[in-house]
Amino acid sequence: MNFSLRLKELRLQNKLTQQELGEIVHVSKVSISGYERGDRSPDRDTLTALADYFGVSIDYLLGRERSADFLTKKQRTVAQQIDESFTNEEMTSILDYISFVKQRHTTSKKQ
């Protein structure tokens, strides 16, 4: 998974808007949007701030390591195939749908 998808996934998991995340790491909403589209790259200070906020390594943010080191070899192979099978747009759609389902599930639990 590349940086843009990983950043969007982390932002959605933490239920943040692009505006909110930008305020946290001291960049504009436009910058966050550009990072998530893959049109822009953060500078070193912003990358460090993002990693610190989400509690992940910079290597994880950049897609150089997986968070799930406990995965079996077979699971890692499947995860890598998934990463390589989808375009950036497709992965964005998948992450949007997962976020929608999680939010719907959370809303139904409250009722």
Side-chain angles (χ1 to χ4, degrees):
M1 184 178 293
N2 63 27
F3 170 73
S4 59
L5 294 174
R6 193 148 282 172
L7 177 62
K8 184 170 185 173
E9 178 183 53
L10 288 167
R11 180 179 61 79
L12 293 175
Q13 285 174 354
N14 285 271
K15 299 179 175 136
L16 295 169
T17 65
Q18 290 177 338
Q19 179 71 37
E20 291 168 332
L21 181 56
E23 290 171 4
I24 290 165
V25 297
H26 309 292
V27 298
S28 69
K29 173 192 179 294
V30 173
S31 291
I32 298 295
S33 176
Y35 302 156
E36 290 183 0
R37 284 193 319 271
D39 297 338
R40 300 181 75 160
S41 296
D43 62 25
R44 189 175 71 199
D45 291 339
T46 303
L47 191 59
T48 301
L50 288 165
D52 288 347
Y53 178 78
F54 290 120
V56 298
S57 69
I58 290 174
D59 278 347
Y60 176 77
L61 270 179
L62 295 177
R64 295 176 50 143
E65 72 179 35
R66 296 197 179 277
S67 63
D69 293 330
F70 58 88
L71 292 177
T72 66
K73 184 176 180 179
K74 182 177 180 180
Q75 289 169 325
R76 278 193 291 275
T77 301
V78 170
Q80 184 176 9
Q81 289 170 343
I82 290 170
D83 282 353
E84 295 168 355
S85 298
F86 295 102
T87 66
N88 197 8
E89 280 184 23
E90 291 168 331
M91 284 302 294
T92 298
S93 295
I94 291 167
L95 292 172
D96 288 343
Y97 182 72
I98 290 169
S99 178
F100 167 77
V101 170
K102 285 181 177 179
Q103 187 173 28
R104 189 169 161 196
H105 179 72
T106 301
T107 304
S108 68
K109 278 185 165 182
K110 291 179 182 178
Q111 294 176 351

PDB file of all heavy atoms in Angstrom, residues 1 6 19 22 24-25 29 32 34 38 42-43 45 48 52 57 66 71 76 81 83-85 87 95 104 106:
ATOM      1  N   MET A   1       0.856  -1.174   0.000  1.00  0.00           N
ATOM      2  CA  MET A   1       0.000   0.000   0.000  1.00  0.00           C
ATOM      3  C   MET A   1       0.902   1.237   0.000  1.00  0.00           C
ATOM      4  O   MET A   1       1.869   1.292   0.733  1.00  0.00           O
ATOM      5  CB  MET A   1      -0.903  -0.023   1.240  1.00  0.00           C
ATOM      6  CG  MET A   1      -1.901   1.113   1.280  1.00  0.00           C
ATOM      7  SD  MET A   1      -3.006   1.077   2.706  1.00  0.00           S
ATOM      8  CE  MET A   1      -3.958  -0.379   2.390  1.00  0.00           C
ATOM      9  N   ARG A   6      -2.376   4.789   2.547  1.00  0.00           N
ATOM     10  CA  ARG A   6      -2.150   4.541   3.967  1.00  0.00           C
ATOM     11  C   ARG A   6      -2.586   5.750   4.801  1.00  0.00           C
ATOM     12  O   ARG A   6      -3.204   5.610   5.840  1.00  0.00           O
ATOM     13  CB  ARG A   6      -0.683   4.205   4.198  1.00  0.00           C
ATOM     14  CG  ARG A   6      -0.483   3.634   5.571  1.00  0.00           C
ATOM     15  CD  ARG A   6       0.620   2.634   5.615  1.00  0.00           C
ATOM     16  NE  ARG A   6       0.235   1.341   5.099  1.00  0.00           N
ATOM     17  CZ  ARG A   6       1.086   0.353   4.898  1.00  0.00           C
ATOM     18  NH1 ARG A   6       2.359   0.512   5.151  1.00  0.00           N
ATOM     19  NH2 ARG A   6       0.689  -0.802   4.444  1.00  0.00           N
ATOM     20  N   GLN A  19      -9.537  18.530   6.953  1.00  0.00           N
ATOM     21  CA  GLN A  19      -9.321  19.804   7.644  1.00  0.00           C
ATOM     22  C   GLN A  19      -8.766  19.567   9.050  1.00  0.00           C
ATOM     23  O   GLN A  19      -7.791  20.208   9.462  1.00  0.00           O
ATOM     24  CB  GLN A  19     -10.639  20.593   7.726  1.00  0.00           C
ATOM     25  CG  GLN A  19     -10.539  21.917   8.447  1.00  0.00           C
ATOM     26  CD  GLN A  19      -9.764  22.952   7.638  1.00  0.00           C
ATOM     27  OE1 GLN A  19      -9.877  23.000   6.426  1.00  0.00           O
ATOM     28  NE2 GLN A  19      -8.987  23.769   8.305  1.00  0.00           N
ATOM     29  N   GLY A  22      -5.203  18.290   8.923  1.00  0.00           N
ATOM     30  CA  GLY A  22      -4.326  19.394   8.546  1.00  0.00           C
ATOM     31  C   GLY A  22      -4.015  20.301   9.721  1.00  0.00           C
ATOM     32  O   GLY A  22      -2.866  20.709   9.929  1.00  0.00           O
ATOM     33  N   ILE A  24      -4.027  19.473  12.850  1.00  0.00           N
ATOM     34  CA  ILE A  24      -3.203  18.729  13.801  1.00  0.00           C
ATOM     35  C   ILE A  24      -1.727  18.777  13.417  1.00  0.00           C
ATOM     36  O   ILE A  24      -0.857  18.947  14.268  1.00  0.00           O
ATOM     37  CB  ILE A  24      -3.696  17.265  13.919  1.00  0.00           C
ATOM     38  CG1 ILE A  24      -5.052  17.231  14.635  1.00  0.00           C
ATOM     39  CG2 ILE A  24      -2.679  16.384  14.634  1.00  0.00           C
ATOM     40  CD1 ILE A  24      -5.798  15.916  14.507  1.00  0.00           C
ATOM     41  N   VAL A  25      -1.446  18.637  12.116  1.00  0.00           N
ATOM     42  CA  VAL A  25      -0.045  18.583  11.669  1.00  0.00           C
ATOM     43  C   VAL A  25       0.421  19.897  11.037  1.00  0.00           C
ATOM     44  O   VAL A  25       1.496  19.965  10.452  1.00  0.00           O
ATOM     45  CB  VAL A  25       0.222  17.384  10.728  1.00  0.00           C
ATOM     46  CG1 VAL A  25      -0.017  16.061  11.445  1.00  0.00           C
ATOM     47  CG2 VAL A  25      -0.599  17.477   9.459  1.00  0.00           C
ATOM     48  N   LYS A  29      -5.885  21.877   4.466  1.00  0.00           N
ATOM     49  CA  LYS A  29      -6.735  20.793   3.985  1.00  0.00           C
ATOM     50  C   LYS A  29      -6.332  20.420   2.562  1.00  0.00           C
ATOM     51  O   LYS A  29      -6.321  19.250   2.188  1.00  0.00           O
ATOM     52  CB  LYS A  29      -8.199  21.232   4.018  1.00  0.00           C
ATOM     53  CG  LYS A  29      -9.158  20.247   3.396  1.00  0.00           C
ATOM     54  CD  LYS A  29     -10.531  20.876   3.190  1.00  0.00           C
ATOM     55  CE  LYS A  29     -11.509  19.935   2.557  1.00  0.00           C
ATOM     56  NZ  LYS A  29     -11.187  19.552   1.190  1.00  0.00           N
ATOM     57  N   ILE A  32      -3.407  18.031   2.670  1.00  0.00           N
ATOM     58  CA  ILE A  32      -3.833  16.666   3.026  1.00  0.00           C
ATOM     59  C   ILE A  32      -4.507  16.010   1.832  1.00  0.00           C
ATOM     60  O   ILE A  32      -4.229  14.849   1.499  1.00  0.00           O
ATOM     61  CB  ILE A  32      -4.764  16.665   4.261  1.00  0.00           C
ATOM     62  CG1 ILE A  32      -4.052  17.224   5.499  1.00  0.00           C
ATOM     63  CG2 ILE A  32      -5.329  15.265   4.515  1.00  0.00           C
ATOM     64  CD1 ILE A  32      -2.882  16.403   5.991  1.00  0.00           C
ATOM     65  N   GLY A  34      -4.045  16.654  -1.309  1.00  0.00           N
ATOM     66  CA  GLY A  34      -3.005  16.343  -2.289  1.00  0.00           C
ATOM     67  C   GLY A  34      -2.201  15.119  -1.914  1.00  0.00           C
ATOM     68  O   GLY A  34      -1.851  14.300  -2.772  1.00  0.00           O
ATOM     69  N   GLY A  38      -2.102  11.583  -4.015  1.00  0.00           N
ATOM     70  CA  GLY A  38      -0.797  11.242  -4.557  1.00  0.00           C
ATOM     71  C   GLY A  38      -0.213  12.348  -5.423  1.00  0.00           C
ATOM     72  O   GLY A  38       0.767  12.135  -6.125  1.00  0.00           O
ATOM     73  N   PRO A  42       4.548  15.115   1.492  1.00  0.00           N
ATOM     74  CA  PRO A  42       4.829  15.959   2.652  1.00  0.00           C
ATOM     75  C   PRO A  42       6.332  16.152   2.840  1.00  0.00           C
ATOM     76  O   PRO A  42       7.132  15.302   2.439  1.00  0.00           O
ATOM     77  CB  PRO A  42       4.243  15.160   3.818  1.00  0.00           C
ATOM     78  CG  PRO A  42       4.306  13.745   3.365  1.00  0.00           C
ATOM     79  CD  PRO A  42       4.098  13.778   1.874  1.00  0.00           C
ATOM     80  N   ASP A  43       6.691  17.265   3.456  1.00  0.00           N
ATOM     81  CA  ASP A  43       8.097  17.456   3.805  1.00  0.00           C
ATOM     82  C   ASP A  43       8.415  16.582   5.017  1.00  0.00           C
ATOM     83  O   ASP A  43       7.528  15.944   5.593  1.00  0.00           O
ATOM     84  CB  ASP A  43       8.419  18.934   4.061  1.00  0.00           C
ATOM     85  CG  ASP A  43       7.648  19.538   5.221  1.00  0.00           C
ATOM     86  OD1 ASP A  43       7.208  18.806   6.139  1.00  0.00           O
ATOM     87  OD2 ASP A  43       7.478  20.775   5.225  1.00  0.00           O
ATOM     88  N   ASP A  45       9.260  17.249   8.108  1.00  0.00           N
ATOM     89  CA  ASP A  45       8.613  17.613   9.371  1.00  0.00           C
ATOM     90  C   ASP A  45       7.153  17.171   9.407  1.00  0.00           C
ATOM     91  O   ASP A  45       6.667  16.680  10.424  1.00  0.00           O
ATOM     92  CB  ASP A  45       8.704  19.125   9.611  1.00  0.00           C
ATOM     93  CG  ASP A  45      10.122  19.588   9.901  1.00  0.00           C
ATOM     94  OD1 ASP A  45      10.952  18.746  10.310  1.00  0.00           O
ATOM     95  OD2 ASP A  45      10.390  20.785   9.717  1.00  0.00           O
ATOM     96  N   THR A  48       6.961  13.380   9.751  1.00  0.00           N
ATOM     97  CA  THR A  48       7.233  13.018  11.146  1.00  0.00           C
ATOM     98  C   THR A  48       6.019  13.299  12.025  1.00  0.00           C
ATOM     99  O   THR A  48       5.648  12.473  12.866  1.00  0.00           O
ATOM    100  CB  THR A  48       8.469  13.783  11.674  1.00  0.00           C
ATOM    101  OG1 THR A  48       9.594  13.448  10.854  1.00  0.00           O
ATOM    102  CG2 THR A  48       8.769  13.433  13.111  1.00  0.00           C
ATOM    103  N   ASP A  52       3.983  10.521  14.120  1.00  0.00           N
ATOM    104  CA  ASP A  52       3.837  10.685  15.573  1.00  0.00           C
ATOM    105  C   ASP A  52       2.369  10.705  15.979  1.00  0.00           C
ATOM    106  O   ASP A  52       1.983  10.060  16.952  1.00  0.00           O
ATOM    107  CB  ASP A  52       4.520  11.975  16.047  1.00  0.00           C
ATOM    108  CG  ASP A  52       6.034  11.890  16.010  1.00  0.00           C
ATOM    109  OD1 ASP A  52       6.579  10.779  15.863  1.00  0.00           O
ATOM    110  OD2 ASP A  52       6.672  12.961  16.122  1.00  0.00           O
ATOM    111  N   SER A  57       5.342   4.166  12.354  1.00  0.00           N
ATOM    112  CA  SER A  57       6.666   4.564  11.880  1.00  0.00           C
ATOM    113  C   SER A  57       6.539   5.279  10.532  1.00  0.00           C
ATOM    114  O   SER A  57       5.540   5.119   9.812  1.00  0.00           O
ATOM    115  CB  SER A  57       7.570   3.339  11.727  1.00  0.00           C
ATOM    116  OG  SER A  57       7.129   2.546  10.648  1.00  0.00           O
ATOM    117  N   ARG A  66       4.665  -3.317   6.887  1.00  0.00           N
ATOM    118  CA  ARG A  66       3.269  -3.579   7.247  1.00  0.00           C
ATOM    119  C   ARG A  66       3.130  -3.480   8.752  1.00  0.00           C
ATOM    120  O   ARG A  66       4.047  -3.788   9.492  1.00  0.00           O
ATOM    121  CB  ARG A  66       2.865  -4.973   6.796  1.00  0.00           C
ATOM    122  CG  ARG A  66       2.906  -5.125   5.311  1.00  0.00           C
ATOM    123  CD  ARG A  66       2.113  -6.344   4.923  1.00  0.00           C
ATOM    124  NE  ARG A  66       2.118  -6.486   3.501  1.00  0.00           N
ATOM    125  CZ  ARG A  66       1.295  -5.847   2.682  1.00  0.00           C
ATOM    126  NH1 ARG A  66       0.404  -5.031   3.165  1.00  0.00           N
ATOM    127  NH2 ARG A  66       1.360  -6.023   1.397  1.00  0.00           N
ATOM    128  N   LEU A  71       1.486 -11.460  10.789  1.00  0.00           N
ATOM    129  CA  LEU A  71       0.850 -12.223   9.728  1.00  0.00           C
ATOM    130  C   LEU A  71       1.698 -13.440   9.346  1.00  0.00           C
ATOM    131  O   LEU A  71       2.921 -13.390   9.366  1.00  0.00           O
ATOM    132  CB  LEU A  71       0.661 -11.357   8.478  1.00  0.00           C
ATOM    133  CG  LEU A  71      -0.332 -10.211   8.557  1.00  0.00           C
ATOM    134  CD1 LEU A  71      -0.316  -9.432   7.250  1.00  0.00           C
ATOM    135  CD2 LEU A  71      -1.724 -10.697   8.869  1.00  0.00           C
ATOM    136  N   ARG A  76       0.759 -12.711   4.404  1.00  0.00           N
ATOM    137  CA  ARG A  76       1.566 -11.631   3.829  1.00  0.00           C
ATOM    138  C   ARG A  76       1.530 -11.681   2.304  1.00  0.00           C
ATOM    139  O   ARG A  76       1.440 -10.658   1.636  1.00  0.00           O
ATOM    140  CB  ARG A  76       3.005 -11.703   4.335  1.00  0.00           C
ATOM    141  CG  ARG A  76       3.192 -11.073   5.699  1.00  0.00           C
ATOM    142  CD  ARG A  76       4.668 -10.877   6.006  1.00  0.00           C
ATOM    143  NE  ARG A  76       5.387 -12.117   6.216  1.00  0.00           N
ATOM    144  CZ  ARG A  76       5.440 -12.757   7.379  1.00  0.00           C
ATOM    145  NH1 ARG A  76       4.836 -12.280   8.439  1.00  0.00           N
ATOM    146  NH2 ARG A  76       6.114 -13.888   7.491  1.00  0.00           N
ATOM    147  N   GLN A  81      -0.475  -9.339  -2.731  1.00  0.00           N
ATOM    148  CA  GLN A  81      -1.195  -9.483  -3.992  1.00  0.00           C
ATOM    149  C   GLN A  81      -2.351  -8.492  -4.077  1.00  0.00           C
ATOM    150  O   GLN A  81      -2.609  -7.922  -5.133  1.00  0.00           O
ATOM    151  CB  GLN A  81      -1.711 -10.909  -4.151  1.00  0.00           C
ATOM    152  CG  GLN A  81      -0.626 -11.914  -4.419  1.00  0.00           C
ATOM    153  CD  GLN A  81      -1.118 -13.341  -4.346  1.00  0.00           C
ATOM    154  OE1 GLN A  81      -2.182 -13.631  -3.812  1.00  0.00           O
ATOM    155  NE2 GLN A  81      -0.323 -14.257  -4.873  1.00  0.00           N
ATOM    156  N   ASP A  83      -2.454  -5.526  -2.567  1.00  0.00           N
ATOM    157  CA  ASP A  83      -1.826  -4.223  -2.800  1.00  0.00           C
ATOM    158  C   ASP A  83      -1.505  -4.022  -4.272  1.00  0.00           C
ATOM    159  O   ASP A  83      -1.645  -2.931  -4.802  1.00  0.00           O
ATOM    160  CB  ASP A  83      -0.531  -4.078  -1.994  1.00  0.00           C
ATOM    161  CG  ASP A  83      -0.769  -3.766  -0.532  1.00  0.00           C
ATOM    162  OD1 ASP A  83      -1.928  -3.529  -0.148  1.00  0.00           O
ATOM    163  OD2 ASP A  83       0.213  -3.764   0.219  1.00  0.00           O
ATOM    164  N   GLU A  84      -1.047  -5.074  -4.931  1.00  0.00           N
ATOM    165  CA  GLU A  84      -0.613  -4.972  -6.317  1.00  0.00           C
ATOM    166  C   GLU A  84      -1.769  -5.116  -7.309  1.00  0.00           C
ATOM    167  O   GLU A  84      -1.620  -4.803  -8.479  1.00  0.00           O
ATOM    168  CB  GLU A  84       0.448  -6.041  -6.605  1.00  0.00           C
ATOM    169  CG  GLU A  84       1.723  -5.828  -5.812  1.00  0.00           C
ATOM    170  CD  GLU A  84       2.678  -7.006  -5.861  1.00  0.00           C
ATOM    171  OE1 GLU A  84       2.315  -8.057  -6.451  1.00  0.00           O
ATOM    172  OE2 GLU A  84       3.775  -6.882  -5.306  1.00  0.00           O
ATOM    173  N   SER A  85      -2.931  -5.578  -6.843  1.00  0.00           N
ATOM    174  CA  SER A  85      -4.045  -5.860  -7.739  1.00  0.00           C
ATOM    175  C   SER A  85      -4.931  -4.665  -8.030  1.00  0.00           C
ATOM    176  O   SER A  85      -5.651  -4.661  -9.021  1.00  0.00           O
ATOM    177  CB  SER A  85      -4.926  -6.975  -7.152  1.00  0.00           C
ATOM    178  OG  SER A  85      -4.195  -8.159  -7.022  1.00  0.00           O
ATOM    179  N   THR A  87      -5.785  -0.438  -8.394  1.00  0.00           N
ATOM    180  CA  THR A  87      -5.256   0.896  -8.667  1.00  0.00           C
ATOM    181  C   THR A  87      -5.495   1.771  -7.446  1.00  0.00           C
ATOM    182  O   THR A  87      -6.257   1.409  -6.537  1.00  0.00           O
ATOM    183  CB  THR A  87      -5.964   1.539  -9.871  1.00  0.00           C
ATOM    184  OG1 THR A  87      -7.339   1.767  -9.525  1.00  0.00           O
ATOM    185  CG2 THR A  87      -5.855   0.670 -11.115  1.00  0.00           C
ATOM    186  N   LEU A  95     -11.549   1.651   0.539  1.00  0.00           N
ATOM    187  CA  LEU A  95     -11.404   2.250   1.871  1.00  0.00           C
ATOM    188  C   LEU A  95     -12.613   3.104   2.230  1.00  0.00           C
ATOM    189  O   LEU A  95     -13.065   3.097   3.384  1.00  0.00           O
ATOM    190  CB  LEU A  95     -10.117   3.081   1.948  1.00  0.00           C
ATOM    191  CG  LEU A  95      -8.825   2.285   1.875  1.00  0.00           C
ATOM    192  CD1 LEU A  95      -7.636   3.221   1.764  1.00  0.00           C
ATOM    193  CD2 LEU A  95      -8.682   1.371   3.083  1.00  0.00           C
ATOM    194  N   ARG A 104     -21.780   2.880   9.604  1.00  0.00           N
ATOM    195  CA  ARG A 104     -23.166   2.373   9.636  1.00  0.00           C
ATOM    196  C   ARG A 104     -23.334   1.377  10.785  1.00  0.00           C
ATOM    197  O   ARG A 104     -24.323   1.408  11.506  1.00  0.00           O
ATOM    198  CB  ARG A 104     -23.463   1.716   8.303  1.00  0.00           C
ATOM    199  CG  ARG A 104     -24.894   1.356   8.121  1.00  0.00           C
ATOM    200  CD  ARG A 104     -25.131   0.956   6.694  1.00  0.00           C
ATOM    201  NE  ARG A 104     -26.353   0.196   6.600  1.00  0.00           N
ATOM    202  CZ  ARG A 104     -26.690  -0.530   5.595  1.00  0.00           C
ATOM    203  NH1 ARG A 104     -25.902  -0.612   4.542  1.00  0.00           N
ATOM    204  NH2 ARG A 104     -27.804  -1.202   5.584  1.00  0.00           N
ATOM    205  N   THR A 106     -21.523   1.241  13.546  1.00  0.00           N
ATOM    206  CA  THR A 106     -21.435   1.991  14.803  1.00  0.00           C
ATOM    207  C   THR A 106     -22.755   2.699  15.082  1.00  0.00           C
ATOM    208  O   THR A 106     -23.244   2.695  16.214  1.00  0.00           O
ATOM    209  CB  THR A 106     -20.294   3.036  14.732  1.00  0.00           C
ATOM    210  OG1 THR A 106     -19.076   2.344  14.468  1.00  0.00           O
ATOM    211  CG2 THR A 106     -20.166   3.804  16.025  1.00  0.00           C
TER     212      THR A 106
END
